Amino acid sequence: MGLGTVLRAAPKFTRKMGPKSNITHLPKEVVSILPTLPFHDAKNYKFDEIIDVRTPLEFAEDHIEGAVNLPVLSNEERAQVGTLYSTNKLQGRKVGAALIARNISNHILDHFKDKEMEYKPLVYCWRGGQRSRSIATILKEIGFQPTLLQAGYKAYRKHVSDYLCNSLSGESNLDRIHFIRISGHTGSGKTLLLKALESRGEQILDLEDLAKHKGSILGDYPDDRQPSQKMFETQLFNYIEGLKDTSVIWLENEGSKIGNIGVSRRVWEKMCKSPRIHLTVDLDDRVDYILKDYKYLIESEKLNLPGLLKRLEKYAGKKSYTKWMDLLEKKEYRELVVSLIEYYDKSYKIPSGEALSEFHVPTGLLLNEADLTQSSFVGDIIKFGREYVENLPNVENLPKDNTSVKATEDVLKSDLIKEHQTETVVNVVS
C-alpha cells in the first residue's frame, strides 16, 4: 500500500474553534512502512546485500550465507546495555538508543555512502527486533528499499535445524538426492577419491572439509579450526540445497561425529540408509599415502603428535603407546604408520549395509593425484554411479505393500543404534 493510498483512506478531521475547541478524528501519524519476509520466501528474492546487524561475536558463531556484519552494538556495548536494562529499563533503552544511533551514523558515512537509491538490502538481527528495525527505518527514510527478515536469525536458524535435524512440511532437496558412500580402511584415499570425482564433474559431499577435520584423533587440520556446530550446519544446508537429484552424490562413510562436530541427524540417517562401494588398497600404498597426507604432523611441533598419540593410549593400551613413542623418537616413521594401521584395522567397524561393489585401487595411483583423476579406475566408479541412478525405480512404481518397507526400516534402525553405540571407536579409527 502506497503512502498516497494510506492518506486517501485516512478519516477526515475537523477543528472546532473557540475556548472549548477540540480535535476529532485526528489521523494517526504515517511512518515508514518496512516490508518483512520469512526466510523461506526471502531466499527466493534477489537482494543487493544481506546485512547482519548483530554483534561480531554473534556473527562469528553463525550467519546467513553471504551476509555482511554491520553491528549496531559492539560486543561490549551489548553487554553494557543488557546489564543496565536488567536494573533500569528506561535508562537501558536510552543508552541503547544513543549507542545504536551513533553506530548507524558511522555505517551510513562509511558503508552506505556510495549506494544508489535502488539499493535493496535484507536486514536482520537476532529475532527481527529493535536492532534491525532501527537501521532499516533510517535506510528507508534515506530512500533505500530495505526488507526485514521476519523473526530474524532465530527463524532462519529454526529453518536450518528443521531441514537438517527434524523435518519440514514438504519434500526437501535432501529427500530427493541420492547418496553413495565410499568406505575403506584408514589410508585408502577416500578423500582423495572424492576430489578426483569432483574434478571429473561428479557431485560430492565432503563432510570432513566442511567440518575442517579428518574424523580421527589425529585428524585436526594444520591451519584451520573447526567451525561452530551452527556454522557447520549453515554450510551443510546451503551445500545440499545446491545439489541436483539427477546424478549421484558421492561422500565418505563417516562416523556420527567429525572431531567436535556432529553430523546432522537427517543427513546421518540418510547416509546409513544409502548404498556404498568399498575401496581396497595394498598395504605399502596405504603407508605411503598416510606418510604423504599426514606429513605436517611430523614436521610441525606445534601440532603435538606425541600428545595426540597419548590420547590414543586409553583405546590402544600402554604397550602400543610405548611402542609408538619409541618409533617416533627414533624417527622410524614408516614403522610407526604400519603399527598404527595394524591398530586401526583391528578396530575398524564394518559399515552398515553390504557394499554394492568393491574397487581395488591400482598400485601407486594414490601417490599421484593427477594420474588418479584421469585414470580409468575413477572412470569405472563414475560409470557405476551413473548406472545406479539410471536403474533407480520411480517413486510411483514402488510397491504399495508396506511390509517389506517396514522390515527394511527396522534393519536400518538397528544399524543406526549400532553405529551410535560404537561411536567412540569409529571416531578414533575413521
Side-chain angles (χ1 to χ4, degrees):
M1 181 183 292
L3 181 59
T5 305
V6 173
L7 292 175
R8 285 193 295 273
K12 295 180 179 179
F13 68 93
T14 60
R15 180 184 295 275
K16 297 179 180 179
M17 305 301 293
K20 294 184 178 180
S21 65
N22 66 333
I23 298 176
T24 60
H25 306 299
L26 185 63
K28 294 182 178 180
E29 181 183 4
V30 177
V31 297
S32 293
I33 299 173
L34 296 171
T36 64
L37 279 175
F39 177 74
H40 59 79
D41 289 336
K43 67 180 182 178
N44 297 321
Y45 284 76
K46 181 173 177 58
F47 295 98
D48 295 318
E49 202 164 34
I50 302 174
I51 300 174
D52 184 327
V53 302
R54 299 176 302 152
T55 64
L57 277 176
E58 292 173 287
F59 183 81
E61 182 185 26
D62 185 34
H63 54 265
I64 295 175
E65 185 180 46
V68 296
N69 188 208
L70 299 179
V72 295
L73 289 173
S74 68
N75 301 325
E76 297 75 18
E77 289 168 345
R78 187 177 183 229
Q80 174 193 349
V81 171
T83 301
L84 183 57
Y85 186 83
S86 65
T87 57
N88 187 327
K89 291 186 178 180
L90 178 58
Q91 193 63 20
R93 292 175 72 89
K94 289 178 180 178
V95 172
L99 293 172
I100 287 174
R102 184 179 66 190
N103 291 328
I104 290 176
S105 174
N106 292 334
H107 292 319
I108 291 171
L109 295 173
D110 181 16
H111 185 81
F112 298 107
K113 64 179 181 179
D114 296 323
K115 303 297 184 185
E116 301 293 335
M117 291 293 280
E118 296 78 17
Y119 174 65
K120 298 178 182 179
L122 177 67
V123 184
Y124 72 93
C125 59
W126 164 243
R127 55 185 176 188
Q130 292 179 340
R131 287 187 286 176
S132 57
R133 284 203 308 270
S134 297
I135 192 169
T137 298
I138 293 176
L139 293 179
K140 180 74 172 179
E141 291 296 325
I142 291 173
F144 299 140
Q145 302 172 49
T147 298
L148 290 173
L149 180 64
Q150 185 176 318
Y153 169 81
K154 186 177 181 181
Y156 161 76
R157 174 62 192 160
K158 185 179 186 304
H159 180 87
V160 172
S161 182
D162 287 344
Y163 186 101
L164 294 174
C165 303
N166 301 315
S167 60
L168 298 175
S169 56
E171 186 182 52
S172 69
N173 202 43
L174 178 58
D175 300 307
R176 292 186 289 269
I177 57 178
H178 312 291
F179 287 165
I180 293 184
R181 293 173 291 157
I182 301 172
S183 63
H185 288 75
T186 299
S188 298
K190 300 181 288 293
T191 301
L192 193 63
L193 176 58
L194 284 183
K195 293 178 181 177
L197 288 166
E198 184 177 35
S199 296
R200 294 278 290 266
E202 292 292 291
Q203 296 188 106
I204 69 165
L205 175 54
D206 192 343
L207 292 171
E208 292 184 358
D209 183 60
L210 292 178
K212 301 304 177 192
H213 199 277
K214 295 183 179 180
S216 70
I217 285 178
L218 304 178
D220 289 332
Y221 274 31
D223 301 314
D224 288 307
R225 295 180 61 184
Q226 286 200 270
S228 68
Q229 181 69 36
K230 291 179 180 179
M231 181 65 80
F232 169 80
E233 290 178 357
T234 279
Q235 293 172 345
L236 181 58
F237 162 74
N238 284 294
Y239 193 91
I240 289 175
E241 280 288 90
L243 294 171
K244 299 177 181 178
D245 63 357
T246 52
S247 62
V248 70
I249 289 88
W250 302 97
L251 76 167
E252 187 174 340
N253 187 70
E254 298 284 358
S256 60
K257 291 195 73 176
I258 307 174
N260 294 321
I261 297 294
V263 178
S264 307
R265 185 180 68 82
R266 291 186 66 222
V267 176
W268 165 250
E269 290 179 352
K270 186 178 183 75
M271 285 172 57
C272 291
K273 296 176 183 178
S274 297
R276 68 180 175 92
I277 62 171
H278 189 75
L279 300 182
T280 60
V281 185
D282 295 336
L283 177 60
D284 283 344
D285 276 10
R286 291 172 65 191
V287 174
D288 289 337
Y289 174 70
I290 290 173
L291 284 170
K292 180 180 178 181
D293 195 40
Y294 286 85
K295 186 179 180 181
Y296 57 86
L297 273 180
I298 297 171
E299 294 179 342
S300 176
E301 291 185 3
K302 71 175 184 178
L303 296 176
N304 191 17
L305 180 55
L308 296 174
L309 293 175
K310 180 66 176 177
R311 290 173 58 190
L312 278 174
E313 182 182 6
K314 64 179 179 180
Y315 303 106
K318 187 173 183 61
K319 183 178 179 180
S320 294
Y321 167 71
T322 302
K323 177 181 179 181
W324 296 335
M325 288 302 299
D326 182 58
L327 292 171
L328 183 61
E329 289 172 5
K330 294 178 180 177
K331 297 185 178 182
E332 296 177 359
Y333 301 128
R334 188 173 190 84
E335 289 74 11
L336 172 61
V337 170
V338 170
S339 181
L340 285 168
I341 284 177
E342 290 174 352
Y343 163 70
Y344 284 171
D345 285 357
K346 290 177 183 177
S347 305
Y348 182 75
K349 179 186 178 297
I350 298 175
S352 59
E354 185 177 354
L356 293 181
S357 185
E358 189 173 283
F359 291 86
H360 182 74
V361 182
T363 302
L365 200 55
L366 287 183
L367 301 180
N368 191 316
E369 189 170 348
D371 287 350
L372 173 66
T373 299
Q374 300 302 322
S375 67
S376 59
F377 167 76
V378 171
D380 289 341
I381 293 177
I382 292 173
K383 180 181 178 183
F384 178 88
R386 291 177 180 172
E387 290 176 349
Y388 169 80
V389 172
E390 290 172 0
N391 292 324
L392 284 174
N394 294 324
V395 175
E396 57 268 24
N397 295 332
L398 290 176
K400 295 183 179 180
D401 181 9
N402 291 329
T403 305
S404 60
V405 175
K406 178 66 169 61
T408 302
E409 288 177 346
D410 288 342
V411 172
L412 293 169
K413 184 177 180 182
S414 174
D415 284 338
L416 278 171
I417 293 172
K418 291 176 183 176
E419 293 275 5
H420 282 286
Q421 287 174 339
T422 57
E423 179 179 309
T424 301
V425 175
V426 171
N427 288 334
V428 172
V429 304
S430 60

